[in-house]
Amino acid sequence: MSELTYPLARQRPFDPPDELAELRQQAPIHRMTYADGHQGWLVTGYAAARAVLADPRFSNRPERMHPPIPARLDLTKEMREQFRVPPGFFLRMDAPEHTRFRKLLTGQFTVRRMKQLEPRIEEITGACLDRMAASGKPVDLVQAFALPIPSLVICELLGVPYEDRDQFQNDTKVLVNLETKAVDAIAAMQRVSAYLYGLIQRKRAKPDDDLLGGLVESGELNDEELTGVAFLLLVAGHETTANMLGLGTYALLTNPDQLALMRDDPSTVDNGVEELLRYLTIIHLGPVRNALADVEIEGRLIKEGETVTISLGAVNRDPERFPGGDHLDVTRPAGSHLTFGHGIHQCLGQQLARVEMRIGYPALLRRFPGLRLAVPPEEVPMRSDMSIYGVHSLPVTW
Ligand code: HEM
């Protein structure tokens, strides 16, 4: 039995756990013991991660997975049966079921469509910065900037009233908290689903000119499926980018030369965003997959039924792919990072996230050239307890 369990504890705020780097040095793939005793695998090498994520012989269905960490161990067999993948929650489906949903949505998230949103995202960002300037200092950058921008944008895009955000922001936090009990996670999921189901019904009665309204009109999905799609887009659409904006700003504030490049040299911004995505890899745990057949990856035989956890944090620091990758360098070619995943589940919203960050970072840094932490760095509360890493709050002044 392997002595290795999934390493979660970080020694420094921007680096993945040191143990992962040591493991990666030894091999790209390792035997790992899962929270229920299952003997599965941990991937730390870049090429091995791409191979697993691109291979249709690995499933993403939750009922096949063994838990990599001891979270939600109160999940009983009955609960598991009762709460299979909600209809429409296509992240946890395999092809061809997944393909049907993905095809319906791909056109809504193209580079061109996201480009059209730029003026509105600039407006939203400007309004957040105005409010922040007016509010007096210090402020918590998460509440003033990092969270409202992606939340407002995804709400407008989907057609979810932003005034209703209390109905989903708190529950989203519950869902991404690794310490949440299964019973509480299910309750949170049910609350958000009930809210979104009601919203879909209202859109059915009175069609709206937004993404969810368009999906209702298309007649392709039933109300349960629409609820699952809305759930996935809403949760994935704000919590992730919010943490990139918060943690990314913290990383820049502690790397002033990199900050200056992002603020003063517009030609650095697009690449700088990719580098921040790579360096920070906010996906703290996973992706996780389960083998549908025996598959050989980098000389190791993964047997049918075995679970594989990929540490994107380790993978994005693989020196074979990113030499010197433990340093933040906004001029480094970082575009091949795996922060958005790879293969059929590669992030649907990545272009939206990019636009929000390409607008957000430079706008913040130019508006507040004297921006700095308002507390000693060691007092910034890190989200080590969340499946999406970042900062719980970021007190700043200027
Ligand atoms: C910096 C921000 C973001 C990061 C780091 C991120 C990361 C990821 C990753 C790693 C996956 C793949 C998970 C897996 O393979 O198991 C994924 C999938 C997904 N993401 Fe994102 N994401 C971000 C922003 C967004 C946004 C803004 C949206 C908004 C719509 C979004 C929607 C989705 C959806 C719908 C999927 C599932 C795709 C599928 O299964 O086909 N994400 N994301």
Side-chain angles (χ1 to χ4, degrees):
M1 182 154 154
S2 168
E3 281 179 11
L4 176 65
T5 54
Y6 190 81
L8 273 175
R10 296 180 183 234
Q11 289 70 32
R12 291 167 302 284
F14 308 124
D15 294 333
D18 286 342
E19 201 182 340
L20 287 168
E22 286 157 24
L23 287 164
R24 193 188 51 225
Q25 238 173 355
Q26 292 159 22
I29 172 160
H30 316 263
R31 271 291 186 194
M32 182 175 98
T33 299
Y34 282 63
D36 58 358
H38 171 70
Q39 291 300 290
W41 300 91
L42 170 67
V43 171
T44 52
Y46 182 89
R50 272 178 78 105
V52 171
L53 291 172
D55 196 320
R57 291 171 297 173
F58 286 101
S59 167
N60 202 15
R61 295 195 66 86
E63 68 272 15
R64 292 189 63 91
M65 304 300 179
H66 293 274
I69 60 162
R72 303 185 193 176
L73 285 182
D74 60 317
L75 187 72
T76 59
K77 198 159 169 281
E78 291 70 42
M79 281 154 122
R80 202 181 259 257
E81 297 283 296
Q82 211 183 337
F83 293 96
R84 291 182 163 249
V85 192
F89 199 89
F90 58 95
L91 168 63
R92 305 310 300 272
M93 294 174 188
D94 296 338
E97 205 186 357
H98 166 265
T99 325
R100 175 176 160 238
F101 291 94
R102 183 82 189 206
K103 265 198 184 144
L104 262 179
L105 285 156
T106 300
Q108 307 278 352
F109 288 92
T110 56
V111 176
R112 194 174 59 87
R113 286 296 283 272
M114 295 305 113
K115 192 121 195 86
Q116 289 165 353
L117 291 180
E118 273 177 16
R120 180 65 189 132
I121 296 177
E122 276 162 10
E123 225 168 70
I124 288 174
T125 306
C128 273
L129 296 175
D130 287 344
R131 274 195 299 275
M132 185 169 142
S135 73
K137 45 197 174 177
V139 302
D140 171 12
L141 197 81
V142 172
Q143 293 305 327
F145 171 82
L147 187 59
I149 295 174
S151 299
L152 263 159
V153 171
I154 196 72
C155 280
E156 281 195 16
L157 183 68
L158 295 180
V160 173
Y162 184 63
E163 313 79 82
D164 294 351
R165 63 189 174 283
D166 285 349
Q167 309 251 10
F168 56 85
Q169 270 179 357
N170 289 338
D171 281 328
T172 303
K173 260 200 199 151
V174 171
L175 288 172
V176 297
N177 190 324
L178 297 171
E179 282 155 23
T180 297
K181 290 209 166 66
V183 62
D184 297 325
I186 288 168
M189 218 183 313
Q190 282 174 327
R191 278 192 297 272
V192 181
S193 295
Y195 164 72
L196 289 170
Y197 187 79
L199 184 73
I200 300 285
Q201 303 252 289
R202 292 205 293 282
K203 287 190 194 287
R204 202 163 291 286
K206 188 174 158 297
D208 275 329
D209 182 23
D210 47 47
L211 196 152
L212 292 180
L215 283 178
V216 169
E217 284 276 274
S218 77
E220 299 274 350
L221 303 175
N222 65 35
D223 287 359
E224 284 74 24
E225 290 170 330
L226 280 163
T227 302
V229 168
F231 189 111
L232 173 59
L233 294 175
L234 187 62
V235 172
H238 78 277
E239 185 71 15
T240 43
T241 318
N243 280 296
M244 267 311 296
L245 287 172
L247 187 64
T249 304
Y250 180 24
L252 290 170
L253 289 175
T254 49
N255 288 273
D257 52 334
Q258 304 295 307
L259 182 149
L261 281 168
M262 287 293 274
R263 185 188 56 212
D264 303 333
D265 180 359
S267 72
T268 305
V269 173
D270 288 7
N271 195 70
V273 164
E274 298 311 310
E275 171 66 351
L276 284 165
L277 283 161
R278 180 200 72 78
Y279 178 69
L280 298 170
T281 312
I282 54 165
I283 310 295
H284 196 36
L285 175 66
V288 184
R289 297 289 190 267
N290 189 281
L292 293 163
D294 290 359
V295 187
E296 198 180 305
I297 300 283
E298 304 259 327
R300 304 296 301 261
L301 183 68
I302 298 173
K303 292 232 175 85
E304 195 244 301
E306 287 182 342
T307 296
V308 182
T309 299
I310 294 164
S311 165
L312 290 182
V315 161
N316 279 334
R317 300 281 184 104
D318 187 338
E320 282 192 20
R321 184 74 204 185
F322 304 105
D326 284 333
H327 297 286
L328 176 68
D329 173 2
V330 293
T331 64
R332 171 207 314 277
S336 56
H337 64 74
L338 298 186
T339 305
F340 289 123
H342 181 64
I344 63 164
H345 293 290
Q346 195 184 52
C347 182
L348 177 75
Q350 60 185 287
Q351 302 306 346
L352 176 60
R354 287 191 169 104
V355 171
E356 290 172 349
M357 287 183 279
R358 287 171 184 172
I359 292 173
Y361 293 127
L364 170 73
L365 299 175
R366 284 186 204 138
R367 179 69 176 269
F368 300 100
L371 194 74
R372 58 187 185 282
L373 288 181
V375 294
E378 59 279 9
E379 283 178 23
V380 175
M382 306 307 298
R383 290 172 47 118
S384 309
D385 49 347
M386 300 280 177
S387 58
I388 312 284
Y389 187 65
V391 289
H392 281 294
S393 64
L394 191 69
V396 293
T397 188
W398 52 90

